[in-house]
Short mmCIF file of all heavy atoms in Angstrom, two decimals:
data_model
loop_
_atom_site.label_atom_id
_atom_site.label_comp_id
_atom_site.label_asym_id
_atom_site.label_seq_id
_atom_site.Cartn_x
_atom_site.Cartn_y
_atom_site.Cartn_z
N LEU R 232 58.55 128.24 -102.63
CA LEU R 232 59.83 127.69 -102.15
C LEU R 232 60.93 127.97 -103.17
O LEU R 232 60.71 127.80 -104.37
CB LEU R 232 59.70 126.18 -101.93
CG LEU R 232 58.69 125.78 -100.85
CD1 LEU R 232 58.54 124.27 -100.80
CD2 LEU R 232 59.06 126.32 -99.49
N ASP R 247 51.54 125.83 -98.40
CA ASP R 247 50.79 126.51 -97.36
C ASP R 247 51.38 126.10 -96.04
O ASP R 247 51.29 124.93 -95.66
CB ASP R 247 49.30 126.12 -97.47
CG ASP R 247 48.41 127.08 -96.71
OD1 ASP R 247 48.90 128.11 -96.24
OD2 ASP R 247 47.21 126.76 -96.59
N ILE R 258 61.58 132.30 -94.73
CA ILE R 258 61.91 133.57 -95.39
C ILE R 258 63.28 134.11 -94.94
O ILE R 258 64.09 134.46 -95.83
CB ILE R 258 60.78 134.61 -95.20
CG1 ILE R 258 59.55 134.10 -95.93
CG2 ILE R 258 61.21 135.99 -95.70
CD1 ILE R 258 58.27 134.92 -95.67
N LEU R 262 64.75 130.43 -98.07
CA LEU R 262 64.24 129.17 -98.62
C LEU R 262 62.88 129.40 -99.27
O LEU R 262 62.41 128.54 -100.01
CB LEU R 262 64.10 128.12 -97.51
CG LEU R 262 65.39 127.67 -96.83
CD1 LEU R 262 65.08 126.77 -95.66
CD2 LEU R 262 66.26 127.00 -97.82
N ALA R 266 53.96 134.34 -101.31
CA ALA R 266 53.33 134.10 -102.62
C ALA R 266 52.43 135.24 -103.03
O ALA R 266 51.25 135.22 -102.84
CB ALA R 266 52.55 132.76 -102.58
N ALA R 286 61.33 119.15 -122.59
CA ALA R 286 60.77 118.52 -123.80
C ALA R 286 61.79 118.54 -124.96
O ALA R 286 61.93 117.54 -125.69
CB ALA R 286 59.51 119.25 -124.23
N GLU R 287 62.52 119.63 -125.04
CA GLU R 287 63.56 119.74 -126.07
C GLU R 287 64.70 118.70 -125.82
O GLU R 287 65.17 118.09 -126.75
CB GLU R 287 64.12 121.18 -126.06
CG GLU R 287 65.09 121.47 -127.18
CD GLU R 287 65.54 122.92 -127.08
OE1 GLU R 287 64.67 123.83 -127.21
OE2 GLU R 287 66.76 123.13 -126.91
N ARG R 293 65.91 111.28 -127.74
CA ARG R 293 65.19 110.29 -128.53
C ARG R 293 65.77 110.19 -129.95
O ARG R 293 66.02 109.11 -130.47
CB ARG R 293 63.70 110.62 -128.58
CG ARG R 293 62.87 109.61 -129.26
CD ARG R 293 61.38 109.94 -129.22
NE ARG R 293 60.88 109.74 -127.87
CZ ARG R 293 60.24 110.66 -127.13
NH1 ARG R 293 60.03 111.86 -127.63
NH2 ARG R 293 59.83 110.38 -125.92
N HIS R 315 84.68 86.36 -116.90
CA HIS R 315 83.98 87.23 -115.99
C HIS R 315 84.67 88.58 -115.92
O HIS R 315 85.92 88.65 -115.94
CB HIS R 315 83.91 86.60 -114.60
CG HIS R 315 83.15 85.35 -114.55
ND1 HIS R 315 81.77 85.28 -114.60
CD2 HIS R 315 83.55 84.04 -114.46
CE1 HIS R 315 81.39 84.02 -114.55
NE2 HIS R 315 82.43 83.27 -114.48
N ILE R 320 79.72 96.23 -114.89
CA ILE R 320 79.28 97.39 -115.65
C ILE R 320 77.99 97.90 -114.97
O ILE R 320 77.04 97.19 -114.85
CB ILE R 320 78.99 97.04 -117.12
CG1 ILE R 320 80.19 96.39 -117.78
CG2 ILE R 320 78.50 98.22 -117.90
CD1 ILE R 320 81.36 97.30 -118.01
N GLY R 334 76.78 112.15 -128.04
CA GLY R 334 77.02 113.58 -127.88
C GLY R 334 75.90 114.33 -127.17
O GLY R 334 75.86 115.56 -127.19
N VAL R 335 74.97 113.61 -126.58
CA VAL R 335 73.87 114.22 -125.82
C VAL R 335 73.97 113.68 -124.39
O VAL R 335 74.16 112.48 -124.21
CB VAL R 335 72.51 113.86 -126.43
CG1 VAL R 335 71.36 114.39 -125.58
CG2 VAL R 335 72.39 114.38 -127.85
N SER R 341 68.60 107.83 -116.00
CA SER R 341 67.80 107.42 -117.16
C SER R 341 68.14 106.02 -117.63
O SER R 341 67.38 105.43 -118.41
CB SER R 341 68.02 108.38 -118.33
OG SER R 341 67.51 109.66 -118.01
N ALA R 356 69.77 97.08 -121.94
CA ALA R 356 69.47 98.14 -120.96
C ALA R 356 68.22 98.86 -121.48
O ALA R 356 67.87 98.79 -122.67
CB ALA R 356 70.63 99.10 -120.88
N VAL R 360 63.29 107.77 -121.53
CA VAL R 360 63.28 109.01 -122.30
C VAL R 360 61.83 109.57 -122.13
O VAL R 360 60.91 109.07 -122.74
CB VAL R 360 63.58 108.76 -123.80
CG1 VAL R 360 63.50 110.05 -124.58
CG2 VAL R 360 64.92 108.10 -123.96
#
Side-chain angles (χ1 to χ4, degrees):
L232 298 175
D247 197 9
I258 294 171
L262 296 173
E287 187 178 298
R293 184 176 287 125
H315 296 285
I320 303 292
V335 176
S341 294
V360 179

